Amino acid sequence: MQNLEQFLRLLTGHFDNREQFNQMQKAEKVYPLAEHVNTVCNDKIRNLPADFRGKFLVEESYYETNGKKHASAHLFLFTEEQDGVLLTSYEIPEGEDKNSFTYASMEPVDYGDLKKSEKFTPALYREKDGVWEGGSTSQFTPVMKFRLWERFSEACLEVSESIEVNGRRTFGYDDPIRYKRV
């Protein structure tokens, strides 16, 4: 569990990319002002198995591009595996509003009621010299592919996400979003 604790110490907290956003603005590039709030939420999950060693985390993401704001939230389970830390995506618990789901608004939920995301391919992260890297490629539909690559260190969280439809990128940026702790 030492690797999982080290990994989550880097990942939990409040982060934004304001520094990168300002650089992109100066370069006259369209880029989002983005914020992540990552909170372990095992305290809100009832009836976890006695030997449960994973950590559930609510990821709240907020993006603003060209004056338009967008929020999205995810529920992830992180587990320590033999060769790294595995991220498994879960559906937002039934009864919660997907558009406004946050750790603060999360109602207690029974572990048995949680459902793994069938669309998301789990992502494996490996550590080298204090830096964790990993990601996955998920086939959301026959024509829609989602790619995730992330790099976590003391300096920042680098997140690269893209969506391709029929082989054409419809979402994503050339440079990873670089979040720094607020």
Side-chain angles (χ1 to χ4, degrees):
M1 287 279 289
Q2 182 180 1
N3 282 337
L4 180 60
E5 294 302 325
Q6 176 192 32
F7 180 87
L8 288 171
R9 188 178 51 76
L10 294 175
L11 188 60
T12 56
H14 188 164
F15 305 85
D16 72 26
N17 75 328
R18 187 165 302 280
E19 183 180 309
Q20 179 187 35
F21 174 77
N22 290 336
Q23 292 169 351
M24 292 295 192
Q25 290 290 97
K26 286 178 185 172
E28 298 182 3
K29 292 184 178 180
V30 174
Y31 210 74
L33 176 58
E35 180 182 5
H36 267 336
V37 180
N38 298 326
T39 310
V40 172
C41 63
N42 283 28
D43 60 316
K44 295 196 176 194
I45 301 174
R46 297 183 305 250
N47 299 316
L48 285 170
D51 61 348
F52 189 78
R53 297 174 56 94
K55 299 286 185 179
F56 282 95
L57 179 135
V58 173
E59 177 191 85
E60 302 166 40
S61 300
Y62 306 95
Y63 304 95
E64 184 176 340
T65 308
N66 294 329
K68 294 181 181 176
K69 294 181 180 182
H70 173 74
S72 69
H74 301 280
L75 178 63
F76 297 126
L77 171 63
F78 292 93
T79 53
E80 188 166 327
E81 306 297 323
Q82 183 174 348
D83 50 351
V85 172
L86 188 68
L87 175 161
T88 303
S89 182
Y90 275 70
E91 300 296 334
I92 299 298
E94 202 164 309
E96 297 281 358
D97 183 346
K98 293 179 183 184
N99 297 313
S100 61
F101 181 72
T102 65
Y103 172 79
S105 72
M106 183 179 180
E107 294 293 328
V109 61
D110 193 271
Y111 173 73
D113 292 336
L114 295 175
K115 295 181 180 90
K116 286 183 186 178
S117 170
E118 294 181 17
K119 297 177 184 177
F120 184 84
T121 300
L124 183 66
Y125 298 84
R126 292 184 174 94
E127 186 266 340
K128 182 178 179 183
D129 300 325
V131 177
W132 290 84
E133 289 187 9
S136 68
T137 300
S138 302
Q139 196 72 42
F140 283 177
T141 71
V143 298
M144 183 186 294
K145 187 179 288 188
F146 174 73
R147 294 179 198 270
L148 171 68
W149 178 86
E150 298 178 298
R151 185 173 195 264
F152 305 142
S153 68
E154 289 286 347
C156 69
L157 311 178
E158 294 178 61
V159 179
S160 182
E161 298 173 305
S162 67
I163 293 176
E164 294 176 7
V165 176
N166 291 321
R168 264 192 48 223
R169 184 172 77 181
T170 59
F171 170 80
Y173 300 92
D174 293 336
D175 299 306
I177 296 177
R178 291 188 309 273
Y179 296 91
K180 293 196 173 178
R181 194 173 294 277
V182 174

